[in-house]
């Protein structure tokens, strides 16, 4: 593939079809709100960048996927991650039965079915293998009981994929299975959680004797853990994309120009330091992306990207709030003199969970300490 031509084609497609009023939203858009965009991507054959062509995907290699995502980021396309496309689809392609592939993949790709990811529980986050939501076989159904938490957009989802405990006596990781559940099943209750910025993306999902057909299990019973883990590979570089900090940095620059902040040597020094960090990260990111381009596997050192970029992101948004003065701590859009807009508080709030999702930064540091620096555990 001619990478430059592909980049240009993606850019032009977004420019032509992605609604202007959805660009650079102050908060990420939901899948339900952007169904028409998902349909358009699907019609173009771009619904599932990472899936193989034989399943209707684009068949992009990891490096090409980065180009695709890069163009989305540059154009301000900020939509909640589609767990069906990024997580469930690849898992079904690899481990699902032919029947499961046929019944689920087409509707995931067209955006007709929205999926939620039901992994985390009140006592199982970083240590996910502690999960306790149980599934017990009763005739030809599993009966599910328990609770999931931090389930993004569960209130909009048609279906949920769950990690459930199917053997209480086995070693923690060896008693877990992977189950597909219809959100309309009797016994499911969804409670939305409102976060500090007033948004309710997260939910708690309760399961009270929910009956799930036995053939909704993916793979063999008690093999769910290794299946779910095997898919985390290329996600680790996407979470470390420098774009995460570049956009708020450009907002900080706009604000600084508007308020004449570059005349202040303290501001200029802080801004320059952070800008150089982001530029360094960009260089490191390109190096890791090159590993993928050569078709090689990423090593554990890729964890440094996620730590570095999310912490830079938070430093930038700290500065946005600080230098926006009285506009920094209220829920309002600041209109700058060049006509551009900025919502400092929203940027601040968006940056906070970035050090938690996708494996917390402390856990990433543990990986670096053990697997790269070979420090004792
Ligand atoms: C924006 C966002 C979206 C999410 N969406 C979903 C979703 O759709 N579905 C889903 O299932 N989950 C989702 N999550 C949950 C996410 O996966 C968990 O928050 C994450 O795994 C951390 O778990 P926890 O919140 O229970 O924190 P804990 O694991 O309890 O961690 C608490 C603190 O202790 C630290 N810590 C934990 N273990 C160690 C250790 N061994 N060494 C050092 N420090 C440690 C952590 O770094 C953290 O600072 C989402 C989270 C966020 C922020």
């Amino acid at each position: 593939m001619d990478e430059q031509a592909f980049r240009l084609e993606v850019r032009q497609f977004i420019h032509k079809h992605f609604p202007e009023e959805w660009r650079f939203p102050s908060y990420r858009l939901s899948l339900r709100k952007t169904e028409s965009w998902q349909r358009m991507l699907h019609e173009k054959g771009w619904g599932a960048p990472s899936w193989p062509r034989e399943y209707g995907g684009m068949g992009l290699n990891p490096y090409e996927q980065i180009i695709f995502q890069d163009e989305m980021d540059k154009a301000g396309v900020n939509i909640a991650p589609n767990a069906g496309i990024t997580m469930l689809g690849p898992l079904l392609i690899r481990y699902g039965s032919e029947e499961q592939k046929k019944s689920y993949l087409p509707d995931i790709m067209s955006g007709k079915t929205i999926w939620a990811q039901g992994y985390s529980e009140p006592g199982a986050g970083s240590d996910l293998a502690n999960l306790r939501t149980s599934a017990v076989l009763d005739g030809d159904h599993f009966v599910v009981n328990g609770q999931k938490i931090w389930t993004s957009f569960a209130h909009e989802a048609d279906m949920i994929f769950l990690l459930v405990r199917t053997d209480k006596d086995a070693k923690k990781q060896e008693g877990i299975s992977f189950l597909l559940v219809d959100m309309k099943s009797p016994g499911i209750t969804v409670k939305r959680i409102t976060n500090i910025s007033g948004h309710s993306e997260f939910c708690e999902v309760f399961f009270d004797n929910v009956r799930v057909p036995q053939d909704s299990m993916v793979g063999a019973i008690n093999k769910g853990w290794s299946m779910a883990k095997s898919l985390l590979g290329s996600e680790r570089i996407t979470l470390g994309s420098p774009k995460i900090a570049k956009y708020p940095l450009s907002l900080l620059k706009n604000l600084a120009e508007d308020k004449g902040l570059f005349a202040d040597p303290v501001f200029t020094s802080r801004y320059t330091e952070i800008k150089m960090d982001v530029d360094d990260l960009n260089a490191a990111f390109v190096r890791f992306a090159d590993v993928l381009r050569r078709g090689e596997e990423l090593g554990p050192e890729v964890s440094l990207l996620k730590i570095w970029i999310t912490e830079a992101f938070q430093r930038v948004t700290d500065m946005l709030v600080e230098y926006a003065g009285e506009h920094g701590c209220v829920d309002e859009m600041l209109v700058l003199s060049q006509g551009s807009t900025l919502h400092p508080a929203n940027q601040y709030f968006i940056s906070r969970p970035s050090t938690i999702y996708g494996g917390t930064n402390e856990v990433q540091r543990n990986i670096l300490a053990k697997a790269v620096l070979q420090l004792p555990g």
Side-chain angles (χ1 to χ4, degrees), residues 126-143:
S126 301
D127 194 0
L128 188 57
N130 265 343
L131 63 91
R132 291 165 57 181
T133 295
S134 65
V136 176
L137 199 55
D138 175 30
D140 55 1
H141 281 68
F142 285 102
V143 180

Side-chain angles (χ1 to χ4, degrees), residues 28 117-120 124-127 149-152 202 353 356-357 360 362-363 366:
R28 64 183 180 171
Q117 176 206 356
Y119 287 8
S120 305
S126 301
D127 194 0
I149 195 167
W150 312 126
T151 322
S152 299
F202 294 128
I356 302 172
Y357 58 67
T360 70
E362 289 77 13
V363 168
N366 285 349

Side-chain angles (χ1 to χ4, degrees), residues 13-270:
F13 184 82
I14 300 171
H15 181 72
K16 188 159 172 212
H17 297 289
F18 193 73
E20 195 62 46
E21 64 276 17
W22 286 357
R23 289 171 201 223
F24 297 109
S26 59
Y27 219 78
R28 64 183 180 171
L29 306 173
S30 78
L31 289 170
R32 194 61 84 196
K33 180 177 164 70
T34 53
E35 268 172 333
S36 56
W37 169 241
Q38 185 59 33
R39 250 197 322 275
M40 240 179 282
L41 285 173
H42 175 56
E43 279 157 18
K44 171 84 178 158
W46 287 2
S50 67
W51 295 12
R53 284 178 186 276
E54 68 213 85
Y55 293 101
M58 289 172 81
L60 299 184
N61 67 36
Y63 187 77
E64 291 159 351
Q65 288 169 44
I66 289 172
I67 295 179
F68 190 77
Q69 188 54 44
D70 193 39
E71 287 304 316
M72 295 283 170
D73 292 339
K74 274 191 187 142
V77 180
N78 186 4
I79 300 174
N82 186 333
I85 298 282
T86 58
M87 303 182 85
L88 180 62
L91 186 131
L92 284 177
I93 287 169
R94 192 145 155 202
Y95 301 104
S97 65
E98 283 313 309
E99 207 43 56
Q100 287 169 336
K101 289 180 198 173
K102 243 187 264 150
S103 53
Y104 295 118
L105 292 179
D107 287 349
I108 294 177
M109 199 161 42
S110 67
K112 191 171 164 205
T113 310
I114 294 179
W115 287 80
Q117 176 206 356
Y119 287 8
S120 305
E121 298 184 7
S126 301
D127 194 0
L128 188 57
N130 265 343
L131 63 91
R132 291 165 57 181
T133 295
S134 65
V136 176
L137 199 55
D138 175 30
D140 55 1
H141 281 68
F142 285 102
V143 180
V144 179
N145 279 289
Q147 180 197 348
K148 296 292 174 181
I149 195 167
W150 312 126
T151 322
S152 299
F153 295 100
H155 60 288
E156 295 193 336
D158 305 295
M159 299 283 296
I160 186 167
F161 52 93
L162 295 180
L163 285 178
V164 288
R165 184 152 305 283
T166 34
D167 185 345
K168 286 194 171 77
D169 301 322
K171 210 178 126 206
K172 279 197 298 191
Q173 287 83 352
E174 287 163 15
I176 292 174
S177 302
F178 198 97
L179 209 53
L180 310 176
V181 181
D182 189 331
M183 288 295 283
K184 290 188 292 301
S185 312
I188 295 185
T189 311
V190 176
K191 243 173 98 179
R192 295 178 72 174
I193 301 171
T194 303
N195 65 22
I196 195 170
S197 63
H199 293 90
S200 312
E201 286 189 357
F202 294 128
C203 300
E204 289 175 284
V205 186
F206 297 88
F207 299 84
D208 183 13
N209 287 321
V210 177
R211 295 187 70 80
V212 181
Q214 191 177 0
D215 61 7
S216 301
M217 181 165 284
V218 182
I221 192 159
N222 297 327
K223 296 290 176 215
W225 182 257
S226 45
M227 290 191 309
K229 280 272 154 182
S230 71
L231 288 172
L232 296 176
S234 60
E235 189 200 17
R236 291 182 303 157
I237 188 166
T238 328
L239 291 170
S241 165
K243 288 289 170 301
I244 298 170
K246 273 188 177 169
Y247 173 60
L249 195 62
S250 72
L251 295 178
L252 182 61
K253 184 161 177 269
N254 290 348
L255 179 72
E257 283 166 353
D258 198 64
K259 296 182 88 175
L261 293 172
F262 285 118
D264 171 2
V266 175
F267 173 85
T268 305
S269 160
R270 289 176 68 189

